[in-house]
Amino acid sequence: MKTVNIAILGLGTVGGGTYQILQMNRELIEKRTGRTFEVTKVLELRKDRALELGLREDQICSDIEQIVCAEDVDIVVEALGGIDMPTDFMLKAMEHGKSVVTPNKAAVAANYDKLKAAAEKNGVSFRFEASVGGGIPALTAIQEALAGNEFTEVMGIVNGTTNYILTKMTDLGLKYEDVLKDAQEKGFAEKDPTADVEGIDVANKLSILMTLCFDKYVKPTEIPREGITKITMEDIEAARAKGCKIKLIASAKKVGDDVEYSVGPKLIPNEHPLAGVSNEFNAIYVTGNAVDELMFYGKGAGALPTGSAVVGDIIAIGKTL
Ligand code: HSE
């Protein structure tokens, strides 16, 4: 049986979840693909974390060169977070002939063209399904199963942390600060949750969705955005009185040859499918000129749901090796 060797950069929430899934479902994946997927190396400075997950000391690296130069690495999973350093690591990996998988929406949104071009130039794969909507396989669907459509609109709830906070404030009357802490403990939030609550994370994800749906790249920093920090219980009650829920919505719509886009809290009528998307669940709602309206729904954050999308990408690449 062919072995596909993987290196994981960063064993945080998603890197750890990815490792866990590859162990937990090893036999099933082998049976389905006819390949063994082995994590041969990890880049992780917290040795304890790596050992705790079951890695051996000799697999733990502290220098990216140990990974990109290694012969026993076919696919590099970048799960470090951040923008510049992870982008450099991904480019370096591709230059050394490694395919790359990442859940890192900030790096993909900031450097999409550079990363795509490097993959093409070096004849390797670059996949980033987990970067939008966690476990929801919407990006692959948009690029493959729905590739026969002209998209006219894409909108959705694409941040688990803020949706979790808004849900608990709306349904249980809990305080913003308490729920944010809870979301952080559950591993939904970014290291610096400002990116979640100020809509920065959603802008990164909308930038990626627009690139794929409309072939239009807009820098995340150029997307008009508002987060949820100013939402009060009074706002939530006022929305309820109107038969609505407040949701943090990413939206982009074709208007003639142009695309209008924004990120911000919106009143969603209770009967709209997006109003029923609660807690850390996400939903991506696309309209195509053939398929019409379509909604993808699932967990948008968390170790295993997001790891599921990373592992899907690893398998897709592994099957081509
Ligand atoms: N912090 C992100 C969220 C993680 O809450 O949705 C998944 O991208």
Side-chain angles (χ1 to χ4, degrees), residues 7 47 92 135 161 230 243 282-283 311:
K47 227 180 211 177
K92 207 172 247 193
T161 303
K230 293 187 193 129
N282 281 192
V311 171

Side-chain angles (χ1 to χ4, degrees), residues 75-89:
I75 302 173
V76 171
V77 176
E78 183 282 305
L80 293 163
I83 298 180
D84 294 340
M85 190 182 69
T87 301
D88 285 348
F89 287 1

Side-chain angles (χ1 to χ4, degrees), residues 14 103 105 130-134 158-163 183 187-191 193 195-196 201-202 205 280 282 300-302 306:
V14 185
K105 53 267 159 141
S131 65
V132 180
V158 288
N159 183 270
T161 303
T162 47
N163 203 43
F188 303 155
E190 300 301 301
K191 268 184 206 147
D196 294 295
D201 180 72
V202 177
K205 291 166 177 169
E280 77 270 33
N282 281 192
T306 314

